[in-house]
Amino acid sequence: MYDRLLLVAIVVVPLVPMLLYKWSYSLDTWYVPWGENRLDYFDTGFEQAARQWLRKVAERGDAVYVITDSQCPCARPVLKKMNRALDGDVPVRVHDLYRDRADQDGLSSLVRYLPAVPTALVVKSGKLRYVGPLVTGNLCSREARFSPPLAAYRSVTDGTVFNWLSKGCYCRVVPERLDQAAEASESRPRSRSVTLSK
């Protein structure tokens, strides 16, 4: 028994620092991958899609739109921090990019332009005020904050802030998964679509 435990310890213990490093690194990744620039994502195609989307949601008023992935390990703690930071002051509309086929807010038209999730889009006075990470900083420390989209929502300045140089806990958007989810939803009855619970 002790021999087996010793053998397991000899194999597993050296792997622990590597796993911890990987986990720590995953909490501190770039929203837009290092070496790529904003225009690989938020280009003229995104701006046209965003203008069309804004026309559709204009009558719904000011809000923070959140695009997330319920299977992303970052999603739950990030949404928890968001809810705590907002404290019910700001209307929030959440869209799960791989599961929410109903997509009442029409956010799926913008998903392909995003590098990672969770992502926030802040709409104020019919204009897009912010696009970027929902929370920045390491989730395991007090450094993590919900300040960028919240500041954009409360700000009176004009123009759009593209926050693409932030570090935090993010999951990459996988176009293949989007295609698979779309195919699966087409073969499924519409009444069985699933939405992310808040």
Side-chain angles (χ1 to χ4, degrees):
M1 177 70 173
Y2 291 112
D3 291 342
R4 286 184 188 153
L5 286 173
L6 186 60
L7 286 171
V8 168
I10 289 169
V11 172
V12 171
V13 169
L15 295 175
V16 170
M18 185 182 74
L19 293 172
L20 286 173
Y21 169 77
K22 284 279 190 189
W23 175 72
S24 171
Y25 179 78
S26 74
L27 299 179
D28 200 26
T29 56
W30 289 99
Y31 176 70
V32 171
W34 185 251
E36 299 178 29
N37 65 46
R38 174 179 73 82
L39 293 180
D40 292 335
Y41 300 95
F42 307 128
D43 59 3
T44 53
F46 171 80
E47 289 174 9
Q48 287 176 338
R51 276 196 295 273
Q52 290 174 355
W53 173 73
L54 281 170
R55 283 196 288 271
K56 290 178 189 172
V57 297
E59 72 281 353
R60 300 196 66 189
D62 300 345
V64 175
Y65 291 86
V66 177
I67 301 174
T68 188
D69 171 13
S70 56
Q71 295 178 8
C72 172
C74 306
R76 193 166 298 201
V78 163
L79 290 173
K80 191 183 291 184
K81 279 186 179 285
M82 175 197 72
N83 289 329
R84 202 175 307 134
L86 291 175
D87 199 24
D89 292 352
V90 180
V92 177
R93 300 186 178 114
V94 179
H95 170 68
D96 187 323
L97 76 161
Y98 301 117
R99 297 181 66 198
D100 185 4
R101 302 322 315 166
D103 189 18
Q104 297 173 346
D105 299 312
L107 289 164
S108 58
S109 62
L110 303 176
V111 166
R112 291 185 183 278
Y113 298 99
L114 303 179
V117 290
T119 287
L121 294 97
V122 175
V123 176
K124 189 89 182 282
S125 304
K127 294 184 179 177
L128 189 61
R129 302 291 187 184
Y130 173 90
V131 181
L134 186 60
V135 172
T136 61
N138 194 316
L139 290 175
C140 296
S141 71
R142 293 187 179 188
E143 174 195 335
R145 57 200 181 276
F146 178 60
S147 59
L150 189 57
Y153 187 87
R154 293 185 173 152
S155 163
V156 291
T157 57
D158 219 359
T160 304
V161 173
F162 290 93
N163 178 14
W164 58 284
L165 278 176
S166 284
K167 281 186 170 184
C169 187
Y170 314 120
C171 294
R172 297 282 161 243
V173 173
V174 183
E176 294 79 20
R177 280 186 68 197
L178 290 169
D179 295 336
Q180 290 168 358
E183 288 169 11
S185 71
E186 285 169 10
S187 63
R188 227 186 275 144
R190 287 178 184 240
S191 61
R192 301 177 81 189
S193 63
V194 181
T195 56
L196 179 72
S197 58
K198 294 179 190 174

